[in-house]
Amino acid sequence: MRYLLLIYTPESDVQPPADEAAAEFAAYEAFGREVAERGAFVAGEALHPTSSATTVRVRDDEILATDGPFAETKEALGGFYLVEARDLDEAIELAARIPGAKRGSVEVRPIWQLPSGEMGGPGADAAAGRVVGAG
């Protein structure tokens, strides 16, 4: 089963010392190698800070785009891994090995998979630009 491991850590305007940043980068590289060697890696990316975010809403068919994140929080989504795990226990074990879990949190979310094998869930057709019921 596929799981999305969402990495939340405190954001700071202050850059960490070079040696700390290098150590964390090396820890993420080691984690990525381990997950790939186990055959569990599907995808993963780091995100720019929330200051670069744009939040989009549609109200009364009008698109409203706002600079910045949706909500003010102490921790921000900093990246993710999409992994293939045997079960939730294995996904939790992988999440606990992510370096960001030591100073933030990692949310483990199962990916909704339709019986046909297509990815999706409620609203997935609309999100992918497909017209529901069209054939």
Side-chain angles (χ1 to χ4, degrees):
M1 179 167 200
R2 291 177 304 153
Y3 291 87
L4 189 59
L5 310 179
L6 300 159
I7 306 163
Y8 293 92
T9 55
E11 277 194 319
S12 174
D13 294 334
V14 179
Q15 293 291 346
D19 58 334
E20 286 180 27
E24 183 160 333
F25 186 76
Y28 271 100
E29 281 187 325
F31 174 77
R33 270 193 312 276
E34 177 192 342
V35 173
E37 288 169 1
R38 287 172 66 164
F41 182 83
V42 177
E45 296 291 341
L47 302 175
H48 283 270
T50 57
S51 60
S52 69
T54 301
T55 300
V56 177
R57 295 176 181 84
V58 177
R59 302 293 185 267
D60 299 320
D61 294 328
E62 182 180 346
I63 298 170
L64 307 170
T66 307
D67 289 341
F70 173 71
E72 295 286 328
T73 62
K74 291 184 179 183
E75 294 182 336
L77 179 62
F80 69 90
Y81 286 95
L82 179 60
V83 298
E84 184 71 41
R86 154 181 82 257
D87 54 24
L88 179 59
D89 290 337
E90 183 180 22
I92 290 170
E93 183 265 322
L94 290 170
R97 298 179 66 79
I98 294 174
K102 292 179 181 174
R103 60 184 182 91
S105 60
V106 178
E107 181 179 347
V108 178
R109 302 271 305 266
I111 300 295
W112 186 308
Q113 184 129 358
L114 296 175
S116 67
E118 290 183 28
M119 226 178 14
D125 286 322
R130 296 185 294 262
V131 178
V132 178

